[in-house]
């Protein structure tokens, strides 16, 4: 009886998180850092590829003593099965991951860590679409019932997926729905030493997306590995 | 003889720094933090206002045990007399401080801490001109012999002018001339605990200018006083 109740509470606290593009490099960090706390559904264009990635990540996490519940599905099924979707894809896939899969979305929270940027010479520049940012493009293409939150632009993907690394840095969160932003802030807090900060409404997503090319340039020019930011007070 | 040599070295190490708009709030920090190391020329539209500000700041610094050499002049004379010019003016004065005074400039280094931004509702947004940034606008309007460096966008002016505050934060420096950037980096190092970081060429000035509205928003939303940034490594 007591055990049942604990199980029920655990099930309730679990979220089902779809990581679309979860077989790519960018998705690994989200899965590895969250799989101990939440159920993960890896989405890919091919279900078998997603299933293979799920099996491999389950084994990897087991070897680290982390019990996980990770499934693999095609993107449409992954989105339909989830409470929250991470758009873990390069910018040029945002349109296909939103408009083409529009019918799979209901009232999920969608996290966009996406950054439109280009290499110009030796530097990265922010190259937002006409909507102003990748997050606003995603919002325009998704059903209005979906709550888009932009976050995780200042965390190096390379560092994010290395579970042994303690990530010291701030994650700036922008979005229009306070509850959705708080859910995302909790997902930031799951990762020890990361601090969530409110960056304002989704209209300001360009401000945080633009930090990625800035940090890539500063990291290279000043030899700072996996550069992130801390907002400090004077 | 020995004293003469020391005086010669000191004179040589001194730069003459014009702070145009130096009678305003924004200029106070630059003058107070640098006056112990360099000669300051406060520029204003009216010479007598600049002279009064120079006298007042000299007295203030003296009361803090800091010997200074501060003069006040009209903007044209201040620029002509200086090795380095700080455009310590609101964005809408950049054009008058550059194109109208174009003939006063020679081969100075010009520091632009200027940020074009607007308040939209409760938030600040970056509103760059067609050139892409205030720094690029200034470069376009100034003689090609002037070396424009953009910096000091992430330091709160309120904190900058409080000499008792130790400023923990990074100053991102963008510009096309390595020597000019190094001179500005040294001016950052004069202020204890501030760290200069190379942000790349002037073409990327929008990346650093945009940090000001971002930090103003984050500071207010997360109750972080005088928000600045540290670039950290994971």
């Amino acid at each position: 009886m007591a055990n049942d109740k604990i199980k029920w509470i655990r099930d309730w606290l679990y979220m089902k998180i779809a990581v679309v593009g979860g077989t790519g490099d960018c998705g690994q960090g989200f899965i590895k850092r969250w799989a101990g706390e939440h159920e993960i559904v890896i989405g890919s264009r091919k279900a078998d590829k997603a299933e293979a990635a799920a099996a491999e990540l389950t084994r990897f996490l087991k070897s680290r003593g982390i019990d996980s519940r990770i499934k693999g599905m095609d993107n449409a099924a992954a989105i339909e099965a989830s409470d929250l979707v991470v758009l873990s894809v390069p910018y040029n896939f945002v349109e296909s991951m939103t408009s083409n899969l529009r019918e799979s979305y209901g009232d999920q929270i969608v996290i966009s860590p996406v950054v439109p940027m280009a290499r110009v010479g030796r530097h990265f520049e922010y190259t937002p679409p006409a909507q102003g940012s990748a997050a606003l493009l995603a919002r325009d293409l998704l059903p209005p019932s979906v709550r888009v939150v932009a976050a995780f632009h200042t965390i190096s993907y390379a560092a994010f997926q290395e579970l042994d690394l303690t990530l010291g840095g701030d994650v700036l969160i922008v979005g229009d729905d306070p509850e959705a932003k708080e859910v995302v802030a909790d997902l930031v807090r799951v990762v020890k030493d990361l601090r969530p900060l409110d960056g304002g409404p989704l209209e300001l997503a360009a401000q945080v997306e633009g930090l990625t090319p800035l940090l890539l340039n500063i990291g290279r020019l000043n030899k700072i590995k996996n550069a992130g930011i801390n907002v400090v007070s004077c």
Side-chain angles (χ1 to χ4, degrees), chain A residues 32-66:
Chain A
K32 288 181 180 173
R33 300 274 179 177
W34 293 340
E37 302 282 331
H38 297 283
E39 187 168 342
I40 306 288
V41 191
I42 297 178
S44 183
R45 269 172 294 182
K46 291 182 189 296
D48 55 352
K49 200 177 161 194
E51 285 163 20
E56 193 185 324
L57 277 158
T58 302
R59 273 194 301 274
F60 168 79
L61 289 166
K62 188 85 182 169
S63 77
R64 303 288 300 254
I66 300 166

Side-chain angles (χ1 to χ4, degrees), chain A residues 85-125:
Chain A
V85 178
V86 184
L87 292 179
S88 183
V89 294
Y91 170 69
N92 49 340
F93 287 97
V94 168
E95 193 154 346
S96 59
M97 288 298 159
T98 50
S99 61
N100 296 358
L101 293 160
R102 198 171 191 275
E103 288 178 14
S104 302
Y105 287 92
D107 60 354
Q108 292 93 340
I109 294 167
V110 168
I111 298 180
S112 170
V114 175
V115 179
M117 60 183 178
R119 194 159 192 151
V120 180
R122 305 182 69 191
H123 308 288
F124 287 98
E125 292 186 13

Side-chain angles (χ1 to χ4, degrees), chain A residues 204-219:
Chain A
L204 299 179
Q207 292 188 349
V208 295
E209 291 178 6
L211 292 173
T212 305
L214 173 85
L215 287 171
L216 287 172
N217 295 333
I218 289 174

